[in-house]
Structures are given as structure tokens and as C-alpha cells.
């Protein structure tokens, strides 16, 4: 397995399925580094140097160690209900969400919901939203009137790796970016 494939496997373990290698996360999403390494090493060659390289080079900075590197967690993206001590913050006035055209009707009826994750994930720029949207087939991008949402009392959080999170986005704060604006 390449480091990127291993990184994806670590994302699965630390966000969704620690039981895949027989480990658990604590209430703040931390896994024991020794146990994580041993669990992965049962399937493929794996050691601390490789883990440190993955954490340091991950393109989205998905993971953090604690100070003495005995614990590791994912910064966002969980489906398991853990509290990663997210920072509540005033959002930029506009945020973006990229998704698949196939979800359009449902989103325009129910707004954005977190589905299997704990939060709806929002981007600061259109380019990132487009990349996320493409993971779901033909993409569409919405702008979110985050300034108004925040004024109306909705909470926003900024993860350690710069992803904006909120619990849901009602339809009235959403605008599809039309082809002309792209
Ligand atoms: C959609 C990646 C129907 C939502 C990315 C999304 C991101 C609805 C999908 C992070 C809906 C859930 C998260 C509704 C929302 N009806 N569909 N009412 N409301 N949806 O994967 O945002 O590479 O859970 O639009 O970069 O695509 O994994 O969320 O399309 O930051 O680190 O339901 O994952 O990061 O899909 O991606 P996901 P996402 P990583």
C-alpha cells in the first residue's frame, strides 16, 4: 500500500471505524498511537516514522498528534460522535459547499444536512468546493450566506485544518452558483 492509501485507511479508522483494527477512540476522538501502529502493522509494514510522515505531509492536514505523540486524532470528518474540541468562530460572510447534482432536489427541499457525518462541511473557496462536489459525480456548488446564518444564531466551527463546520444549513441561506458565475 502507498502512503496515500495508508492515509485513507487511517482516515477510515480515526473518523468512522476504529474497530477495523480493534482499537477505540476516547471521547475527544484520540486513539493510542502504539495501538494504531500495531493494528496497521498486522496488515502491512508500518511504523512510527511512516505515521509521522503521513501526518506531516497529508495534503489536507487531516490528523493531529498530542504534544508527546502518544495520541492521534482526525481533525474533522467524523461519523463517530466524538468531541474534538472544535473552535466556535464567526465565519466569513460567504462559504461554499460542493455536492452532486443528484442531491439538488433533496437539498433544495431539506437544506444541507450532515448525513453520516457530525457536521456539514463547508469551504472558504469555490475551487475546493468544486473538488469536493466532483467526488459525488456531476458537481454543483452552493454559496452559503454564513453572515446571515451567524446573525440568526447558528454556530460555526473551524477545524484545526481549516474546514468550516456547522450542524445544518436551511434552504433560505443557500444559493446555487449558476453557470454564468462560474
Ligand atoms: C449531501 C472530504 C441529499 C452533501 C471533503 C454531500 C469534505 C444531501 C453528501 C469532507 C443533503 C454527504 C466532507 C440533503 C447534504 N439531501 N444530500 N438534504 N444535505 N447532502 O462525504 O461534504 O478528503 O459526508 O452535499 O473534502 O462531500 O475525506 O460530505 O454531497 O471536506 O478529508 O450529502 O470530506 O474530506 O457526503 O465531504 P459527505 P462532503 P476528506
Amino acid at each position: 500500500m502507498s502512503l496515500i492509501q495508508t492515509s485513507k485507511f487511517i482516515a477510515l479508522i480515526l473518523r468512522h471505524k476504529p474497530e477495523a483494527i480493534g482499537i477505540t477512540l476516547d471521547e475527544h476522538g484520540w486513539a493510542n498511537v502504539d495501538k494504531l501502529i500495531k493494528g496497521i502493522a498486522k496488515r502491512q509494514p508500518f511504523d512510527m516514522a511512516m505515521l509521522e510522515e503521513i501526518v506531516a505531509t497529508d495534503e489536507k492536514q487531516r490528523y493531529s498528534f498530542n504534544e508527546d505523540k502518544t495520541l492521534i486524532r482526525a481533525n474533522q470528518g467524523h461519523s463517530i460522535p466524538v468531541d474534538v474540541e472544535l473552535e466556535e468562530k464567526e465565519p466569513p460572510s460567504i462559504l461554499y459547499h460542493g455536492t452532486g447534482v443528484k442531491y439538488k432536489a433533496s437539498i433544495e427541499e431539506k437544506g444541507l444536512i450532515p448525513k453520516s457525518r457530525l457536521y456539514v462541511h463547508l469551504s472558504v473557496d469555490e475551487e475546493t468546493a468544486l473538488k469536493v462536489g466532483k467526488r459525488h459525480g456531476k458537481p454543483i456548488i452552493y454559496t452559503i450566506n454564513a453572515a446571515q446564518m451567524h446573525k440568526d444564531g447558528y454556530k460555526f466551527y473551524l477545524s484545526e485544518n481549516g474546514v468550516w463546520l456547522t450542524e445544518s444549513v436551511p434552504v433560505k441561506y443557500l444559493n446555487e452558483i449558476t453557470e454564468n458565475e462560474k
Side-chain angles (χ1 to χ4, degrees), residues 23-69:
I23 66 168
T24 53
L25 307 183
D26 75 9
E27 61 178 316
H28 296 302
W30 295 110
N32 178 289
V33 165
D34 278 341
K35 287 185 183 163
L36 177 81
I37 291 172
K38 284 190 182 121
I40 296 173
K42 275 184 203 155
R43 303 164 162 240
Q44 62 181 93
F46 195 67
D47 60 17
M48 183 63 175
M50 290 165 83
L51 183 61
E52 285 184 308
E53 188 178 346
I54 285 172
V55 173
T57 61
D58 184 85
E59 37 147 17
K60 292 187 184 171
Q61 292 294 298
R62 292 179 177 89
Y63 319 106
S64 294
F65 285 116
N66 68 342
E67 233 155 76
D68 64 5
K69 296 192 175 174

Side-chain angles (χ1 to χ4, degrees), residues 83-99:
D83 166 16
V84 294
E85 301 148 298
L86 289 166
E87 181 191 0
E88 192 187 330
K89 241 186 135 175
E90 183 175 344
S93 55
I94 297 287
L95 285 165
Y96 298 84
H97 180 83
T99 184

Side-chain angles (χ1 to χ4, degrees), residues 2 7-8 20 25 38 45 49 54-55 79 85 97-98 108 114-115 124 135 153 178:
S2 69
S7 180
K8 291 211 164 141
L25 307 183
K38 284 190 182 121
I54 285 172
V55 173
S79 55
E85 301 148 298
H97 180 83
E108 289 174 14
K115 294 248 195 108
V124 285
R135 302 184 325 147
T178 63

Side-chain angles (χ1 to χ4, degrees), residues 11 15 59-60 62 76-77 97-100 102-117 119-123 128 132-133 135-136 161 163:
R15 288 170 168 176
E59 37 147 17
K60 292 187 184 171
R62 292 179 177 89
Q76 39 68 229
H97 180 83
T99 184
K102 62 188 174 193
Y103 299 137
K104 182 177 154 79
S106 171
I107 288 171
E108 289 174 14
E109 187 194 336
K110 296 183 202 144
L112 292 174
I113 54 172
K115 294 248 195 108
S116 65
R117 301 192 200 246
Y119 298 96
V120 173
H121 285 50
L122 304 171
S123 316
T128 308
V132 176
R135 302 184 325 147
H136 301 281
N161 58 336
V163 178

